[in-house]
Amino acid sequence: MPWHWKEVLPVDQYTVRLADVITDMDNHVLTLLYQPLIGTEAVGLYNSLRSQLPSGKYQGDIHTHHQLSVLLDLSLPKLLEARKKLEAIDLLRTYRKKTDDVRFFMYELQPPMKPHRFFRDDVLSVFLYNRLGKQGYRAVRERFALPVLDSSEFEEVTESFSNVFTSLTHSEMQPALMNEQDGALKGANGEALIGKDSDGLRFDDFDVELMKQALSSFIVPPEVLTDRLIDLIKKLAFVYQVEPLTMANLVEQASRGDMLDEDDLRKTIKEWYRLENGTKPPALGLKTQPQTARTMTKEPQTEEERSIQFYEQTPPMTLLEMRQEGAAVSPADARLIEELIVDYKLHPGVANVLIDYVLFQHDMKLSRGFMLKIAGHWKRKKVKTVPGAMGLVKEDKQKQANASPRQTYKRNARQDKLPKWLMAEQEKGNSQESKQASGVAEATESKTSASQTESKKRIAALMEERKRLREKKDEGEWNQ
């Protein structure tokens, strides 16, 4: 997990509390439904935090993250990655209080969704189906299934509340008792009771306003888009990777006058996804190069295409760890990568190209000044794709190849290594350079030969003229 030291340190303290009671059924849901999505490390963290609560208590003691790391046998980066998975899937709410010396965290454990809610959820149910497959999904769903009650054999005879209890009027109750009751119902200041409704998964990336602007008010009146529908649209957009403008078109297709049925919207979006991507459902994955900025949609054939696919599918910190054979990334290098992505807003794939280029150019060292200079240049050039970044690298190498002979000599005195995808381009440039150099040499040799011939002719002419003048002089002297 990149930049973990900025978010949590071993000395940082934390305590655990429950948002609601967690039952044995919740444990089954966590293991059978959530674990395939978030992995064993995240589930292990959830159970470890829960085990630190004293028996019968809803808030625990204070511990350090070093203790938690030792308890789980996980490094701090892995611990932070597991925590973020729990947060993202709404099993954990994290609150941080900054003090003078250390940070203090409050980890509030949320109970898992009830099975009926989980299987109706448009995000989690799809990703679980993708992870387990058709047979596995059906098998785990049957674990939580109940046979439907046959209404022909049973009739409900449950008594209602009003048939059993009655309500007293105000005049029948003592005023003092009423005052005491009001205070008891409100509770003490700063006190909250165990149990609360969860808001569920949160999705902040979808541009709802852009979608609304693209919608026709005649087809989809504004009042149709309730908060519940907007929440569903955000979930479906995340799962099926639908852009706001495309979503507006799909919402219009699913709309029926002044009505927009949730099932119709789901069906319309699923049909669109099948047409675009085939019958296999989408899968859950960690963030890398955004899908909208990816260019490799086919099986790579060349070294350059394989490199493009690798850069698009690999997080920058993972790339750097691979370049140093799995060793931990230094804090300075982690901060530098953070600047590229956070401050310069480079896409992860573009940052990967820059990292590799600088590493191979500078003997596997990251030069901060050089990297940030290139990052600023690429940002001004609005580079968002991996091929675009690789194209700029090739242009830069070509400019270096066309430099003055003196600069070329200095550069060739220490030949830097290059990424494989750039080797072919460099060899091509070197070949052209060699041809140009050969042509210059031939021209120089030809020019030198011509010059020598011309010089010999001039010398011969001068000797001939001198000989003629001497003969003429001798002839004159003889005549006298």
Side-chain angles (χ1 to χ4, degrees), residues 49-75:
L49 291 174
R50 184 186 170 195
S51 69
Q52 290 181 339
L53 289 168
S55 179
K57 299 290 184 181
Y58 302 111
Q59 185 162 325
D61 300 325
I62 295 175
H63 305 276
T64 66
H65 284 81
H66 173 71
Q67 293 172 314
L68 185 61
S69 178
V70 171
L71 178 65
L72 287 164
D73 192 25
L74 288 177
S75 64

Side-chain angles (χ1 to χ4, degrees), residues 257-301:
D258 58 351
M259 288 182 58
L260 180 58
D261 185 72
E262 293 182 5
D263 291 335
D264 288 343
L265 180 60
R266 290 189 185 97
K267 184 178 178 182
T268 301
I269 293 175
K270 287 178 181 178
E271 288 176 353
W272 170 84
Y273 181 84
R274 290 191 184 101
L275 289 174
E276 293 287 326
N277 302 281
T279 57
K280 188 176 180 181
L284 187 63
L286 299 176
K287 279 193 172 182
T288 49
Q289 180 80 348
Q291 289 292 335
T292 54
R294 293 194 181 190
T295 57
M296 280 304 299
T297 57
K298 60 177 184 178
E299 188 67 25
Q301 303 296 328

Side-chain angles (χ1 to χ4, degrees), residues 81-303:
E81 182 179 349
R83 192 194 87 185
K84 288 183 177 295
K85 287 182 179 179
L86 292 177
E87 293 169 354
I89 210 160
D90 198 38
L91 288 174
L92 180 69
R93 299 286 176 87
T94 301
Y95 304 93
R96 183 178 62 193
K97 178 170 67 175
K98 184 70 179 295
T99 60
D100 294 335
D101 46 359
V102 295
R103 287 171 291 198
F104 183 80
F105 292 85
M106 173 74 73
Y107 292 141
E108 187 179 69
L109 294 175
Q110 310 290 320
M113 284 185 185
K114 300 303 179 187
H116 71 282
R117 280 194 61 200
F118 187 100
F119 286 107
R120 284 207 307 258
D121 189 276
D122 294 283
V123 177
L124 300 180
S125 60
V126 171
F127 289 143
L128 184 67
Y129 183 92
N130 181 282
R131 193 62 56 90
L132 299 180
K134 184 177 181 180
Q135 298 300 326
Y137 182 83
R138 283 184 174 178
V140 76
R141 196 175 190 279
E142 288 174 0
R143 292 284 300 271
F144 300 98
L146 272 175
V148 178
L149 207 60
D150 189 352
S151 58
S152 63
E153 296 181 1
F154 296 91
E155 62 172 336
E156 186 173 5
V157 293
T158 307
E159 286 286 359
S160 67
F161 182 85
S162 59
N163 285 343
V164 177
F165 297 99
T166 185
S167 176
L168 300 177
T169 63
H170 287 283
S171 60
E172 295 175 300
M173 303 176 68
Q174 297 292 334
L177 179 62
M178 286 291 294
N179 293 335
E180 182 181 343
Q181 175 185 302
D182 288 342
L185 288 176
K186 291 179 181 177
N189 291 334
E191 179 186 76
L193 296 177
I194 187 78
K196 66 177 183 179
D197 294 328
S198 172
D199 296 330
L201 305 181
R202 290 180 291 182
F203 302 89
D204 302 323
D205 295 337
F206 186 74
D207 194 339
V208 176
E209 292 304 318
L210 180 60
M211 181 199 70
K212 287 182 177 179
Q213 292 174 11
L215 284 171
S216 169
S217 58
F218 296 102
I219 300 175
V220 184
E223 59 271 14
V224 171
L225 297 177
T226 61
D227 292 341
R228 180 184 173 90
L229 269 174
I230 291 295
D231 184 60
L232 175 62
I233 287 171
K234 286 182 178 180
K235 289 181 177 181
L236 294 173
F238 173 80
V239 174
Y240 297 102
Q241 302 170 18
V242 188
E243 294 298 318
L245 298 180
T246 304
M247 180 60 80
N249 185 32
L250 296 174
V251 169
E252 289 179 352
Q253 291 180 33
S255 178
R256 296 181 180 179
D258 58 351
M259 288 182 58
L260 180 58
D261 185 72
E262 293 182 5
D263 291 335
D264 288 343
L265 180 60
R266 290 189 185 97
K267 184 178 178 182
T268 301
I269 293 175
K270 287 178 181 178
E271 288 176 353
W272 170 84
Y273 181 84
R274 290 191 184 101
L275 289 174
E276 293 287 326
N277 302 281
T279 57
K280 188 176 180 181
L284 187 63
L286 299 176
K287 279 193 172 182
T288 49
Q289 180 80 348
Q291 289 292 335
T292 54
R294 293 194 181 190
T295 57
M296 280 304 299
T297 57
K298 60 177 184 178
E299 188 67 25
Q301 303 296 328
T302 65
E303 185 64 43

